[in-house]
Amino acid sequence: MAPPKFMGLSGRPLSMMVSAVATTGFLLFGYDQGVMSGIITAPAFNEMFPETKNNSTMQGFVTAIYEIGCLAGAMFMLWAGDLLGRRRGIIIGASIMLLGVIIQVSTVKNKNPLAQLIVGRVVMGVGNGMNTSTIPTYQAECSKTSNRGLLICIEGGVIAFGTLIAYWLDYGASYGPDDLVWRFPIAFQVIFAVLIIFPMMFLPESPRWLLSHQREAEADRVIAAIRGYEEGSPEALLERNLIVDSLRASGGYGQKSTPVKALFTHGKTQHFRRMLLGSSAQFFQQVGGCNAVIYYFPILFEESIGTDHNMSLLLGGVNMIVYSIFATTSWFIVERVGRRKMFLIGSIGQSLSMVITFACLIDGKEMTARGAAVGLFTYIAFFGATWLPLPWLYPAEVNPIKTRAKANAVSTCVNWLFNFVIVMVTPIMVTNIGWGTYLFFAATNACFIPVIYFFYPETAKRSLEEIDIVFAKGYTEKMSYVRAAKELPHLQPEQIEGYARKYGLVGQGESDSSTEVGTIGDERRDVEKNFSGQSGNMTTSSSDEGLPGRGPGPSVVDEGGVESGFGDGLNTSRKADS
C-alpha cells in the first residue's frame, strides 16, 4: 500500500514542499523590509503623499508603523497560536497580508491617501507578525532534528534575498511612470502571498499540534505521508507514540495551549532564563542597527554621504547583493563554528564597521564621506552571515518543548517592538546628530560581546534534550550555564535519560509511566515488539553508560526527534560527538 499523499506528494518531495512554502513566507518578510527604502523619498511617492516630503519624522512613521502591525500579529499568535494551529495560522496570516497590499495600492489622491496607506501597512504587518511567529515552529515540527537548524538558517537567509528583490525592483520601477514607481513594488507582494496561501491549503498540519489536540488519526496520516511510510505501518505508529510520550512527559498531551505563567518558572528547567536568552537575541539584532541600514540605506547615502537619489538606489542594490551572498555563508558554517562564536564574530565585525562609518563622516568632507560606504558594506556582510539567521534559530533551540511555541512568540514580539523603535528613530537621528547615529550603533554592538560571552551557552551539535540537561546541570551544580555547556560531554541517546535522572529532570519511574495509559500505551508496546523484530539496529531500551551505578533503564525518547515528529526520536545507536 502506497503512503498517503498531500498535493500528490509524500516522503522527501512533500517535506521539500513544506520547506519551500515556509521559506516563501520569510522571502516575503525580507521583501517588505526593503520595499519602502527605495520609494519613501521618490518624487512620485512624495507627490502622492506630500506629508512625507523632506519630513524625516513622517518618513520614519510611515515605514515603522508596519512593525506595530507585526507586533500585534505576533501578540495575537502568542494568545491564539496553539488554538488555531500552524497551518491555519499561516493561511490567515498570508491572507491578511494580501488584504493589506490591496488597501495600500488602491489609494486615490485627494481622498486622504496617507491614512489609507498607513492602515494598509498596519494590516499587512499583522499578517506578517502572525507568519513570522508561526512559520519557524511549523518548519521545526515538520523537519528532522538533523536538518532543523539548517532549514531555519535558510529561512533567515532568504530574508536577504527578499530585500535584494525589493531593492532592485524599486530601482527598475524608478524609471517608469509615477504610479508605477511606488504602486508596482508594493503590489508585487501579492505574488508571494498567493504562493503561500494556495499550497498551504493542501499541505498537512503539524503532527505535534494534531496530537496535542488528540487528533490521532490525522496525525498518523501526516507522519506516514511526510516520512513516506504506509499508513498504519509499525514505523509510523512507533513515531506517533514517541511524540505522544514526549507530550505527556511535558504535560502537553490534551492541553490545547501552554499557560503563559509557565514562561516565568525557574528551577532546573529555567524557563524564564531561556525565554530571556531567546528574546535578547532578537533585541540585540534590532538595536544593533540592521534595519537602520536595510530600510534606509539610500537615505543614509543621500543625507550622510551626499549622493543623488538614483546613485543611492543603485548602491543600495549593490549592498543587497553583498547582503545576500554573505547570508548564505551561515548555511555552511552554523554547525561547524557554533552559535556563540558566530554571535561574537558578528558583534565585533558590526561594531568595527560602524566605527569606520562614523569616523569617515566626522570631518564632513565629501571624499572622506565616501569611505563611510565601506563601513556600511562590511556591516551588512557581517550581519548577513551571523545576526540575520541566528536570532531566529537560537530561541527555537534554547527553549524547552513545553514553552517553545510561547517563548518563540515572545521573542518575535520583542523583534517587532524594537524593529519599530529603530526604524522610527533612525531618520530623525541622521537628521539631528549625523555621524553620531553610527557611533551609537558601534557602541551598542560592542555591548553585546560581554553578554554573549558570559550568558549564551553553546547549543550546536546538541539534541534539544541535551540542552535541557545543560541548564539543569548549571542550576544543580551552581555554575554558569556557559560553563555547564562546555563541561557536559556530547551524549549518546542511551545516556541522556541517565543524566536527566542525575540532575532531577526525570523522577524514578516517571519516564515510562505515560506509556501505561490507555490503548496508546498498549499499542506502543506491541508496535515496538513488532518493529524491533524488523530492524536489527533499532533498540527500545537504554543503559546509562558512563553513569556510576546505573543499570538498564526504560526507553529513551530523543526530544529533538520527537519535537520534529519524524524519525529522529527513535532510540537508534550512534557515536557520541567528539
Side-chain angles (χ1 to χ4, degrees):
M1 183 173 67
K5 297 180 183 293
F6 290 85
M7 293 184 68
L9 304 171
S10 63
R12 181 176 175 81
L14 179 57
S15 297
M16 292 178 66
M17 179 58 71
V18 168
S19 298
V21 175
T23 300
T24 302
F26 271 70
L27 190 68
L28 175 54
F29 168 26
Y31 182 91
D32 203 80
Q33 271 197 319
V35 71
M36 288 302 292
S37 63
I39 63 179
I40 192 70
T41 58
F45 183 85
N46 295 151
E47 183 180 348
M48 183 71 178
F49 308 100
E51 298 91 340
T52 63
K53 187 174 183 179
N54 299 322
N55 187 332
S56 59
T57 301
M58 186 55 68
Q59 289 175 359
F61 179 76
V62 170
T63 304
I65 195 65
Y66 170 77
E67 273 70 38
I68 293 298
C70 292
L71 174 62
M75 292 179 68
F76 175 76
M77 293 308 289
L78 176 64
W79 168 69
D82 287 334
L83 300 175
L84 282 177
R86 321 309 187 211
R87 177 175 161 273
R88 194 182 305 166
I90 294 170
I91 292 173
I92 294 173
S95 300
I96 291 174
M97 293 185 80
L98 188 61
L99 175 62
V101 172
I102 294 171
I103 293 173
Q104 290 177 74
V105 298
S106 62
T107 55
V108 180
K109 197 168 185 178
N110 301 322
K111 297 292 184 181
N112 205 358
L114 183 63
Q116 185 171 336
L117 178 74
I118 291 172
V119 169
R121 284 189 62 75
V122 172
V123 170
M124 189 169 182
V126 170
N128 192 50
M130 293 176 65
N131 281 353
T132 52
S133 295
T134 309
I135 288 174
T137 303
Y138 178 70
Q139 177 73 85
E141 292 177 349
C142 292
S143 306
K144 296 181 181 178
T145 299
S146 57
N147 62 7
R148 183 187 63 245
L150 172 63
L151 290 173
I152 296 177
C153 267
I154 290 175
E155 284 179 5
V158 299
I159 295 173
F161 286 92
T163 309
L164 172 67
I165 295 170
Y167 264 76
W168 283 105
L169 205 63
D170 282 351
Y171 181 72
S174 68
Y175 288 94
D178 287 354
D179 277 345
L180 184 73
V181 167
W182 66 274
R183 289 188 198 268
F184 179 72
I186 293 175
F188 192 78
Q189 296 168 98
V190 169
I191 296 175
F192 298 117
V194 169
L195 291 176
I196 297 169
I197 295 168
F198 286 101
M200 207 69 225
M201 290 179 176
F202 304 101
L203 287 174
E205 177 57 89
S206 156
R208 183 184 179 280
W209 183 85
L210 290 170
L211 286 172
S212 69
H213 287 68
Q214 299 179 309
R215 292 162 60 173
E216 292 154 13
E218 295 174 68
D220 287 346
R221 182 166 179 261
V222 172
I223 292 170
I226 290 190
R227 291 296 288 159
Y229 295 149
E230 292 182 4
E231 192 169 359
S233 68
E235 301 95 330
L237 292 176
L238 181 56
E239 292 194 18
R240 180 254 280 174
N241 290 334
L242 287 170
I243 302 172
V244 171
D245 283 349
S246 178
L247 287 169
R248 281 183 169 145
S250 66
Y253 187 70
Q255 185 175 9
K256 295 185 183 298
S257 181
T258 300
V260 174
K261 66 180 181 180
L263 295 171
F264 299 95
T265 56
H266 302 279
K268 295 177 177 119
T269 56
Q270 289 292 300
H271 290 172
F272 183 62
R273 171 182 286 269
R274 295 160 80 172
M275 179 186 70
L276 288 181
L277 285 171
S279 299
S280 66
Q282 294 280 23
F283 169 73
F284 291 161
Q285 183 195 61
Q286 295 305 314
V287 299
C290 64
N291 280 312
V293 178
I294 294 169
Y295 277 80
Y296 296 121
F297 194 91
I299 296 176
L300 298 181
F301 265 78
E302 286 184 52
E303 298 191 10
S304 296
I305 301 176
T307 59
D308 60 35
H309 182 71
N310 183 69
M311 181 56 69
S312 296
L313 284 179
L314 184 60
L315 289 172
V318 173
N319 196 36
M320 288 305 104
I321 293 175
V322 174
Y323 182 33
S324 300
I325 291 172
F326 278 87
T328 62
T329 61
S330 64
W331 307 350
F332 306 102
I333 66 174
V334 67
E335 297 298 342
R336 295 180 183 178
V337 176
R339 287 38 159 174
R340 268 171 57 84
K341 287 183 180 178
M342 286 181 66
F343 273 131
L344 290 169
I345 291 169
S347 298
I348 294 169
Q350 290 176 185
S351 182
L352 293 177
S353 297
M354 287 297 184
V355 168
I356 293 172
T357 302
F358 88 76
C360 291
L361 293 173
I362 290 176
D363 64 7
K365 296 178 181 179
E366 183 177 342
M367 289 302 296
T368 309
R370 293 180 181 179
V374 176
L376 294 178
F377 275 96
T378 57
Y379 175 93
I380 209 67
F382 277 105
F383 174 76
T386 58
W387 277 97
L388 172 64
L390 288 180
W392 299 101
L393 171 60
Y394 200 66
E397 291 185 324
V398 78
N399 287 298
I401 189 171
K402 182 175 182 179
T403 61
R404 189 168 297 127
K406 283 281 192 294
N408 282 351
V410 170
S411 67
T412 305
C413 288
V414 170
N415 178 286
W416 289 118
L417 175 61
F418 287 95
N419 193 319
F420 167 77
V421 172
I422 296 301
V423 173
M424 181 71 194
V425 303
T426 294
I428 302 171
M429 291 173 69
V430 171
T431 300
N432 291 286
I433 63 175
W435 58 266
T437 304
Y438 309 100
L439 173 59
F440 169 80
F441 289 129
T444 54
N445 278 279
C447 291
F448 303 161
I449 297 170
V451 177
I452 294 163
Y453 185 82
F454 289 110
F455 296 105
Y456 276 44
E458 182 58 73
T459 58
K461 298 181 181 179
R462 290 200 182 275
S463 72
L464 301 176
E465 284 183 319
E466 287 179 90
I467 297 170
D468 290 340
I469 294 171
V470 165
F471 284 91
K473 175 182 173 67
Y475 178 81
T476 302
E477 299 183 5
K478 301 187 186 307
M479 65 171 66
S480 78
Y481 300 97
V482 172
R483 179 184 168 192
K486 290 180 179 178
E487 290 188 0
L488 184 72
H490 289 278
L491 305 177
Q492 298 182 24
E494 59 268 21
Q495 294 176 302
I496 290 175
E497 186 173 346
Y499 275 86
R501 289 180 182 276
K502 176 181 177 181
Y503 293 113
L505 289 176
V506 179
Q508 293 293 331
E510 185 178 310
S511 64
D512 58 344
S513 63
S514 63
T515 61
E516 302 298 323
V517 182
T519 59
I520 290 181
D522 299 332
E523 183 183 58
R524 174 187 170 169
R525 291 192 294 276
D526 293 338
V527 168
E528 287 175 339
K529 182 177 179 181
N530 294 333
F531 194 71
S532 62
Q534 297 177 15
S535 178
N537 65 350
M538 185 66 61
T539 62
T540 56
S541 65
S542 66
S543 61
D544 300 314
E545 298 175 9
L547 289 177
R550 290 287 300 157
S555 62
V556 173
V557 176
D558 182 347
E559 186 225 339
V562 169
E563 204 269 338
S564 68
F566 306 110
D568 296 319
L570 302 178
N571 183 20
T572 56
S573 61
R574 63 177 173 91
K575 294 181 180 179
D577 294 315
S578 57

